[in-house]
Amino acid sequence: MAREKGSEKRQRILEAALKVFAERGFYNAKVSEVARAAGVADGTIYLYFENKEDLLIQLFEDRMDFIITRLNEELAVCGPGADEQLRRMIAMHLNLAVQQPDLAEFITVELRQSARFVREYENPRFVEYLRILRDIVERGQKEGVVRAGLDSRLIVRAIFGALDEVLLTLTLASRSRSVDVQLAANQLADLFLEGVG
Amino acid sequence: MAREKGSEKRQRILEAALKVFAERGFYNAKVSEVARAAGVADGTIYLYFENKEDLLIQLFEDRMDFIITRLNEELAVCGPGADEQLRRMIAMHLNLAVQQPDLAEFITVELRQSARFVREYENPRFVEYLRILRDIVERGQKEGVVRAGLDSRLIVRAIFGALDEVLLTLTLASRSRSVDVQLAANQLADLFLEGVG
DNA sequence: ACAAAAACTGAATCGCGATTCATAAATCCG
DNA sequence: CGGATTTATGAATCGCGATTCAGTTTTTGT
């Protein structure tokens, strides 16, 4: 019987979990560490989440919700062209490296895990995120910015994979030196929009 | 006191580990399952590997060695142009989806883990793999096929990220239907060489 | 103020799996 | 062939951490 989604303590536990999971990874993280980071007793975690895996799933949904909401807000106010939207999406994704490094580390690793092992959990938020990207690509195909000969699903996976890897790289790099996220975002967008040549 | 690298039993254990880790992931896989799959006793694993994590590391090195060796052989006999070499590398990487799905699943997931959590282990084989890709990109910059304005390290990470994600997608898809790896490889190469337009 | 309900606590419990090691089996060599 | 050495076995051991739940504290309602 999990507690209400809106409660402050639940949110505090999620924040703590994000920090601990990002640092240690899900499997190496202990529930007791999350509890301590949240300032609650071990057993309290189970008042809000069914088990450790449920904590992972709820955290993932919570954070992806956050990312998707902000992305949609951003896309709603930027230019309507597919290339502009792609650039915004890339920029927002890579900005996580400096604005929310814990979140960046968490999603770059746990997303892969969830795709493979939490099989009953179909990860709707991730699917939604890819859906946004695919809409951009397909709009680009309609506008003629993206040629129709390329399989949009493949493009989406490729772009997402590149984003994910570059995000991880930037995040790890930002631990020891400052990184120019905007430059990286521009170059990555250029790479996809124009190719290497 | 690990046994010789060349021994048949050690190889059998590595093959078994690949299968079990690919199916279940490292953390969910049990040493006893690997032992059973290898047809040895649980304790025998420890005659050849120091512990479970050592098994992971040795498996990773073994398999990356295999991938790198084959890639180098392939690149040695294909055309010398950077674009041709990139196409070959992409094709070989994606071919793992159908030729060695266990290996594909293993590296797409465990590589991410090792970058983040086995921090003392610097993963030289992965660095070497990226080195090969970077050499291709930089040769491309010299030939004028790849423009000099793009940061080669970023390109390498982006290409690798895309490869990794598309490989995972193809591998999972190939479980239930046949996939056209060559088409995917061509389209991915086109995407990078020419961009989306 | 008080009783009941709700929320929280944290040590104990329990299950699990990595690893050990006494014993058995296999191999080697004179 | 038989003893010595090496290799393999697998149940027992041990450590660990997820989870429980009896007891305590806080909150709510009259």
Side-chain angles (χ1 to χ4, degrees):
Chain A
M1 159 59 178
R3 297 294 153 133
E4 291 180 23
K5 291 208 170 185
S7 79
E8 184 268 335
K9 187 162 290 186
R10 185 177 186 277
Q11 201 58 33
R12 208 158 88 231
I13 294 171
L14 286 175
E15 296 289 342
L18 176 60
K19 185 175 190 312
V20 175
F21 289 168
E23 268 173 31
R24 307 206 11 80
F26 175 69
Y27 290 104
N28 289 315
K30 290 179 280 189
V31 167
S32 61
E33 288 173 314
V34 174
R36 191 175 60 239
V40 299
D42 298 4
T44 306
I45 303 287
Y46 298 91
L47 297 178
Y48 293 88
F49 304 94
E50 192 178 334
N51 50 41
K52 191 182 177 188
E53 183 163 297
D54 183 47
L55 179 56
L56 177 67
I57 290 170
Q58 298 299 327
L59 176 59
F60 192 80
E61 292 199 344
D62 183 78
R63 296 291 89 195
M64 284 304 295
D65 255 350
F66 166 78
I67 289 171
I68 288 169
T69 300
R70 291 188 67 237
L71 176 61
N72 280 328
E73 286 167 0
E74 186 70 18
L75 295 184
V77 301
C78 85
D83 58 341
E84 174 66 19
Q85 300 232 325
L86 181 63
R87 285 182 183 278
R88 293 308 309 149
M89 191 171 177
I90 288 171
M92 289 202 70
H93 199 82
L94 296 188
N95 253 301
L96 291 175
V98 291
Q99 292 185 354
Q100 305 209 47
D102 283 348
L103 179 53
E105 292 195 36
F106 175 67
I107 63 173
T108 55
V109 175
E110 301 308 331
L111 184 55
R112 190 61 54 97
Q113 293 287 352
S114 68
R116 289 270 289 90
F117 304 116
V118 196
R119 284 213 182 103
E120 320 88 54
Y121 174 65
E122 283 295 318
N123 213 334
R125 296 301 188 287
F126 175 56
V127 172
E128 189 179 343
Y129 195 74
L130 290 188
R131 176 84 255 171
I132 296 171
L133 181 53
R134 190 164 173 188
D135 286 348
I136 294 172
V137 168
E138 289 181 346
R139 190 178 320 132
Q141 287 177 328
K142 285 197 193 115
E143 295 171 12
V145 178
V146 181
R147 63 183 185 271
L150 297 178
D151 178 352
S152 65
R153 283 164 307 171
L154 183 89
I155 301 177
V156 164
R157 285 288 174 167
I159 292 173
F160 181 75
L163 270 187
D164 202 37
E165 182 70 24
V166 173
L167 175 62
L168 178 62
T169 306
L170 290 174
T171 307
L172 296 180
S174 70
R175 285 181 182 169
S176 48
R177 58 180 173 86
S178 82
V179 292
D180 189 342
V181 170
Q182 194 54 49
L183 177 64
N186 287 340
Q187 298 218 331
L188 194 54
D190 288 346
L191 178 62
F192 281 111
L193 289 168
E194 298 157 21
V196 295
Chain B
M1 164 54 177
R3 297 296 154 130
E4 292 181 24
K5 290 207 172 188
S7 79
E8 182 268 333
K9 189 161 289 187
R10 185 176 186 277
Q11 203 56 33
R12 208 158 89 230
I13 294 171
L14 286 176
E15 295 290 343
L18 176 60
K19 187 175 190 306
V20 175
F21 289 167
E23 265 174 34
R24 306 203 14 81
F26 174 69
Y27 289 105
N28 289 315
K30 288 178 281 190
V31 167
S32 60
E33 288 174 315
V34 174
R36 192 175 58 237
V40 299
D42 298 1
T44 305
I45 303 286
Y46 299 92
L47 296 179
Y48 293 85
F49 305 93
E50 193 177 332
N51 51 42
K52 189 180 178 188
E53 184 162 297
D54 184 46
L55 180 56
L56 176 67
I57 290 169
Q58 299 298 328
L59 176 59
F60 192 79
E61 293 199 343
D62 184 76
R63 295 291 87 194
M64 283 305 294
D65 257 350
F66 166 78
I67 289 171
I68 288 168
T69 300
R70 290 189 65 234
L71 175 62
N72 280 329
E73 286 166 1
E74 186 71 18
L75 295 184
V77 299
C78 85
D83 59 339
E84 173 66 18
Q85 301 230 326
L86 182 63
R87 285 182 183 277
R88 294 307 309 147
M89 190 171 179
I90 289 171
M92 289 203 70
H93 198 83
L94 297 189
N95 254 299
L96 292 175
V98 290
Q99 291 185 355
Q100 306 209 46
D102 282 350
L103 180 53
E105 292 195 38
F106 175 66
I107 63 173
T108 56
V109 175
E110 301 309 328
L111 185 55
R112 191 58 56 97
Q113 294 286 352
S114 68
R116 288 274 289 90
F117 304 114
V118 195
R119 284 208 182 106
E120 318 87 54
Y121 175 65
E122 284 294 318
N123 213 333
R125 294 302 187 289
F126 175 55
V127 173
E128 189 179 343
Y129 195 74
L130 290 188
R131 176 84 255 174
I132 296 171
L133 182 53
R134 191 166 171 187
D135 286 347
I136 294 172
V137 169
E138 289 181 346
R139 191 178 319 131
Q141 286 177 328
K142 286 197 190 112
E143 295 170 12
V145 179
V146 181
R147 62 183 186 270
L150 297 178
D151 179 354
S152 66
R153 282 164 307 171
L154 184 89
I155 302 176
V156 165
R157 285 290 175 167
I159 293 173
F160 181 75
L163 269 187
D164 202 38
E165 182 70 24
V166 173
L167 176 62
L168 178 60
T169 305
L170 290 174
T171 307
L172 295 181
S174 70
R175 286 179 183 170
S176 49
R177 58 179 172 90
S178 80
V179 293
D180 188 341
V181 169
Q182 193 54 48
L183 178 63
N186 288 339
Q187 298 220 329
L188 194 54
D190 288 346
L191 177 62
F192 281 110
L193 290 167
E194 300 158 20
V196 295

